[in-house]
Amino acid sequence: HARPSYYALLYFTSTESFAFLSSANIHSLAGFFFAAIVAVAAALLMGSMSSKQDKTPAQWPPASDADLPRATFAMGCFWGPQLVFERVPGVVTTAVGYTGGKVENPSYEAVCSGSTGHTEAVEMTYKPSEVTYEQLVAKFYENHDASTLNRQKGDVGTQYRSGIYYRTDEEKQIAEAAKAKVPGAVTEIKPLDHFWPAEDYHQRYLWEKGGRMGRPQSAAKSCNDPIRCYG
């Protein structure tokens, strides 16, 4: 997936320029070029706005969650998975970020280039008395296609690979047992090296920021509404 600002740019320029053409009922070549100029101007404006996005990595984990265990999964574009786990009762806080790569504190652009080796991942803190690691792993497999290598639906690249990143031998055993029950699963199961929080504009993207279309989705616990992956 591309940055939110890029898709907003495409949506804005295409809809506005064609709406202009339709409303003005333009039939002349001169009118068409004028509409094109309007679209280009809008693109430049949106590009300027996107450069001002907050690219500061989110603070993670919250100090209030310091004593809680964490779980880390990769299952394609991280916006949807964050909302999946945010809805799970017992999950306290979630964050999206990058793991499994060879560069410290990578940027979103670098990860998307495929050159850093990172996955897009979601990490969460949770209360074991309310939800177990085994249940989180089950939720992981229920919400993506673990049989496609380096791909989830239309998103293709090593950053979209399926992965479980464990912290203890017990978590490793749980992950491997769950994988064995999924036909054709290609999920990588590795010890967590480091989780780098993604830029702030990616955090809680589908419910607080409304996704690409500005339509917030519910993050209420136990909500079963279908998740629109890009908003």
Side-chain angles (χ1 to χ4, degrees), residues 19-170:
F20 178 87
L21 285 168
S22 176
S23 63
N25 196 25
I26 295 173
H27 297 287
S28 67
L29 185 61
F32 176 80
F33 279 117
F34 179 73
I37 291 173
V38 171
V40 170
L44 291 174
L45 175 61
M46 292 297 291
S48 174
M49 291 173 63
S50 68
S51 67
K52 298 178 181 179
Q53 286 182 336
D54 183 3
K55 295 188 176 183
T56 303
Q59 295 299 310
W60 180 259
S64 58
D65 294 4
D67 295 331
L68 294 175
R70 283 178 267 170
T72 309
F73 306 111
M75 43 199 291
C77 167
F78 49 27
W79 295 333
Q82 184 178 24
L83 183 53
V84 166
F85 286 105
E86 187 71 24
R87 291 174 170 181
V88 175
V91 169
V92 179
T93 314
T94 61
V96 295
Y98 318 110
T99 194
K102 57 189 178 183
V103 176
E104 292 188 359
N105 199 24
S107 68
Y108 175 72
E109 291 80 6
V111 172
C112 283
S113 74
S115 63
T116 71
H118 291 85
T119 63
E120 292 192 16
V122 58
E123 186 166 285
M124 66 216 67
T125 60
Y126 65 98
K127 295 180 179 179
S129 60
E130 298 181 25
V131 62
T132 66
Y133 187 78
E134 187 172 7
Q135 290 172 321
L136 293 176
V137 170
K139 180 67 70 173
F140 162 81
Y141 276 117
E142 290 169 3
N143 284 274
H144 80 296
D145 184 353
S147 68
T148 54
L149 183 63
N150 299 329
R151 176 175 183 170
Q152 286 299 309
K153 297 183 179 180
D155 290 328
V156 181
T158 56
Q159 71 270 30
Y160 301 121
R161 64 189 182 270
S162 175
I164 299 176
Y165 305 97
Y166 61 86
R167 292 169 170 79
T168 67
D169 287 340
E170 181 183 6

Side-chain angles (χ1 to χ4, degrees), residues 1-12 79 205 212-213:
H1 59 88
R3 286 182 298 176
S5 58
Y6 175 71
Y7 277 86
L9 159 63
L10 291 179
Y11 178 79
F12 178 84
W79 295 333
Y205 181 62
R212 290 177 181 167
M213 307 304 292

